[in-house]
Amino acid sequence: MAVKTLLLVHRLLRTSTSGQPCLRSRDVLRECRRGARTLSTFPVKRSESQGGGWDASPAPAPGSGQAAPPRARRPLSPLERLSRLLPQDALSPEVSRLRDPEEDASVAASGTQGEEAHGATPEEGDRPQASASAALPGESSLAFGELLVAEHRKKGRVEFRKMLELRAGALLQSNWGVVAHDDVAGRPAGRFLKTSRGVRFLVRRASLEDYVLYMKRGPAIAYPKDASAMLMMMDVTEGDRVLEAGSGSGAMSLFLSRAVGCKGSVLSVEVREDHHRRAVLNYRRWRESWSLRRGEEWPDNVQFHTGDLCEASPLLATQGFHAVALDLIHPHLVLPAVVPRLHPGAVCAVYLANITQVVDLLEGLRCLPLPLLCERIVEVPARDWVVAPALQKDGSYCVRKAPVLDPERRGKEAGREETGAEGHPAFGSVPYIARPHPEQMSHTAFLVKLRKCVQ
C-alpha cells in the first residue's frame, strides 16, 4: 500500500507541474486520499508492558464499560508529509484540504508551548498588555503627524537616533532594520519596538530640545544649553515682550516663545530672506506637531520680520522690550537702535561664536556712549559621563569583594557571592564605572550679559 501511495504522489506531482487539466488532478487526489485512509483502520496505542513495543488492540465498544483509550494521532500519508514542508500559500486548494485541522491546531499549540518554554515571548511593544488599556489621565497614543524620535542604544551608547514625522504608509529605515509607521501609530509613547531584523528601537515623542537639534537648519543654531543660559540671564517670564535679532533657523525663537507664554510676544528680525523662510517653516512645523500631541495649539506669539535692524526704526517705534537676544556677527552695530527700546535695568544677551567677536563688542561699547554695563562673559560647557555597573564578559555583574586578612578565610570567601532575594547581587555589592563620555560637545559660543543702566 505504501508503494502504491508513493506512485500516486509521483503521478500527482508530475501532473501538477505539466499543466494538465485540474479535473485529472482531482481524480488523482481522490485516489490518493482513499489509499491514505486504508493505512490505519483502528487506533494504535503504545504498550509500556512489552518493553516499549506497539499494541495493536482494537478500541473497546461503546457499551462495554471499558475506559476509552486516548485518541492517537493518525499516521501521515507521504503526500501530507510533503505538503507540510511547503508554506501554506504555495499549496493548491486540493492539497490544502488533505491537512487535518485538529492536527494543525495541535501542532500550533505545541509550537507555542515550546516558545514559552524557551522564553521566546513576544516583545512588550508587539503585544497588548492589560495595563495598556488603563491609560493615565492626560495620556494619549501616538497619532499621524506627530514628531517622534527613534533611537537604538548598545552598551549605554546611542548607536542610532533619528527624528521623524509619523505618516501613514511610511517606513523608518536604518542599518538595523525597518519599522513601519503604521505599526507605531496608536501605541503609547516610550515603547520599545522591534525592527525587521529584531533590533529593539525606543520610539518616543520629540521634545523641544530634540526638535531644535534635529530640525532642518540653514545657519548654526543656538544650542539648548546656551539658550537656557540666555533665558536665565534675561530673566524671561510669562507675559514679557522680547526682541530677537537674528532669527537664524528658529531655535531661539521657539525657546523664547515657550518662555513668554500666551500673554507675551516675541519680535524676531532677520536680515537674510532664506534664513527667515527656514525659521518660519520650523516654527510652524513644531506648532502643528504640538497641537496633535497635546490637543491644544502652541501659542502663536512670534512675529517674524525681514530687514536690517539698524534701519528698522519704524518697526521698533512705540515699543518697549523686557529683554533683547542678539545672535549677530557684529552686534555692536545694532546696539544704538536697540538700547533706547530696552527697559531700564533689563538685560541684553549676546550670542557670539568666537572670542574676536567678543573683543569687537567690548571695543564698540567703549566707543559708543551707551548706558550698558557688561556684567558677565561666560562659556557654558556640557560634559557627559558614563556611569554603569561593571559587567563581566559573559554579561553577569561583577561583585565587589572586601579584602580578607586571614589566609584561612581567603579561600572560603573567594567563592562566596552576596545575592539578593531574586538571585541578583545584593545592594551595594556591585562596583560601578564612571568616566567621561568619549563623545563630548566642546565649545559652542560665548555669552555676553549686558545690562541697561540709568545714569
Side-chain angles (χ1 to χ4, degrees):
M1 181 60 65
V3 176
K4 179 181 178 181
T5 306
L6 289 176
L7 293 176
L8 291 175
V9 171
H10 178 69
R11 183 180 177 186
L12 171 64
L13 295 178
R14 186 176 59 184
T15 303
S16 59
T17 56
S18 61
Q20 295 182 4
C22 182
L23 181 61
R24 184 178 179 182
S25 300
R26 291 180 180 177
D27 296 339
V28 176
L29 285 170
R30 195 176 294 110
E31 294 178 7
C32 181
R33 191 185 306 175
R34 188 182 301 109
R37 289 176 181 174
T38 60
L39 291 177
S40 177
T41 57
F42 50 83
V44 180
K45 65 179 181 179
R46 186 177 181 86
S47 177
E48 298 180 357
S49 61
Q50 297 180 3
W54 294 92
D55 184 10
S57 58
S64 60
Q66 298 181 5
R71 180 181 178 184
R73 184 181 302 175
R74 68 176 181 83
L76 300 178
S77 65
L79 179 59
E80 290 174 323
R81 293 193 186 98
L82 291 176
S83 65
R84 291 184 182 276
L85 299 178
L86 300 176
Q88 180 68 27
D89 55 357
L91 300 178
S92 61
E94 292 82 5
V95 179
S96 300
R97 281 196 291 267
L98 291 177
R99 291 190 173 185
D100 190 355
E102 296 181 1
E103 292 183 2
D104 292 342
S106 62
V107 172
S110 62
T112 305
Q113 295 176 359
E115 290 181 358
E116 294 178 355
H118 290 81
T121 58
E123 187 68 12
E124 294 181 359
D126 298 335
R127 61 179 181 181
Q129 296 181 354
S131 61
S133 58
L136 298 175
E139 181 182 355
S140 59
S141 302
L142 300 178
F144 292 115
E146 288 193 65
L147 295 174
L148 309 180
V149 173
E151 62 181 14
H152 167 59
R153 294 176 177 266
K154 184 178 181 181
K155 297 182 179 180
R157 297 182 60 179
V158 178
E159 299 288 338
F160 173 82
R161 179 178 291 166
K162 183 178 181 180
M163 186 178 69
L164 60 125
E165 181 179 351
L166 198 60
R167 294 178 297 157
L171 297 175
L172 170 62
Q173 299 182 357
S174 67
N175 295 334
W176 288 267
V178 178
V179 177
H181 288 203
D182 296 339
D183 297 337
V184 180
R187 296 179 180 270
R191 180 66 62 89
F192 281 96
L193 298 177
K194 280 188 176 182
T195 65
S196 58
R197 297 179 56 183
V199 181
R200 288 159 51 94
F201 271 24
L202 175 63
V203 180
R204 57 179 177 83
R205 288 187 171 98
S207 62
L208 183 57
E209 179 182 4
D210 297 324
Y211 180 70
V212 299
L213 290 176
Y214 295 100
M215 67 183 182
K216 293 182 179 180
R217 64 179 72 171
I221 63 170
Y223 283 86
K225 65 181 186 66
D226 299 323
S228 60
M230 294 178 67
L231 293 176
M232 294 300 296
M233 283 183 178
M234 296 183 292
D235 194 23
V236 178
T237 58
E238 185 177 2
D240 286 352
R241 173 77 173 169
V242 182
L243 172 64
E244 180 192 14
S247 304
S249 298
M252 193 63 194
S253 304
L254 285 168
F255 285 110
L256 290 173
S257 175
R258 183 171 65 176
V260 300
C262 300
K263 300 179 180 179
S265 61
V266 178
L267 177 60
S268 182
V269 182
E270 174 60 49
V271 66
R272 293 185 52 170
E273 183 66 28
D274 55 343
H275 293 178
H276 168 77
R277 289 194 301 267
R278 174 51 56 192
V280 172
L281 290 176
N282 288 336
Y283 179 72
R284 291 178 179 175
R285 187 185 183 194
W286 173 256
R287 293 187 68 244
E288 293 174 357
S289 175
W290 180 266
S291 62
L292 295 173
R293 170 182 176 180
R294 301 296 295 269
E296 57 185 11
E297 291 189 359
W298 180 274
D300 190 9
N301 51 12
V302 180
Q303 302 175 8
F304 293 94
H305 290 274
T306 307
D308 190 356
L309 199 58
C310 299
E311 303 174 358
S313 55
L315 181 63
L316 303 180
T318 67
Q319 297 194 43
F321 301 99
H322 296 87
V324 176
L326 301 181
D327 186 3
L328 304 171
I329 299 178
H330 305 291
H332 56 278
L333 299 180
V334 302
L335 287 179
V338 170
V339 174
R341 318 314 310 174
L342 186 62
H343 292 180
V347 172
C348 174
V350 187
Y351 184 94
L352 298 173
N354 53 69
I355 196 63
T356 57
Q357 292 177 311
V358 177
V359 174
D360 291 342
L361 175 61
L362 297 180
E363 185 66 11
L365 293 177
R366 184 185 66 83
C367 299
L368 295 173
L370 296 176
L372 291 176
L373 174 63
C374 181
E375 291 188 352
R376 297 184 67 187
I377 302 174
V378 298
E379 180 186 13
V380 182
R383 191 177 189 183
D384 295 336
W385 281 73
V386 177
V387 181
L391 300 177
Q392 299 180 1
K393 292 184 177 181
D394 58 355
S396 60
Y397 290 102
C398 297
V399 179
R400 182 183 290 111
K401 298 179 181 180
V404 180
L405 302 180
D406 189 0
E408 297 181 357
R409 296 178 53 191
R410 186 173 302 170
K412 299 180 181 180
E413 297 291 340
R416 183 184 303 174
E417 295 184 357
E418 299 180 1
T419 57
E422 299 180 356
H424 297 284
F427 179 81
S429 63
V430 176
Y432 274 68
I433 57 173
R435 63 175 183 270
H437 199 280
E439 299 176 0
Q440 296 290 340
M441 179 181 294
S442 57
H443 169 76
T444 53
F446 294 100
L447 307 181
V448 182
K449 182 179 181 180
L450 305 176
R451 187 181 297 275
K452 182 179 181 180
C453 302
V454 179
Q455 300 297 335

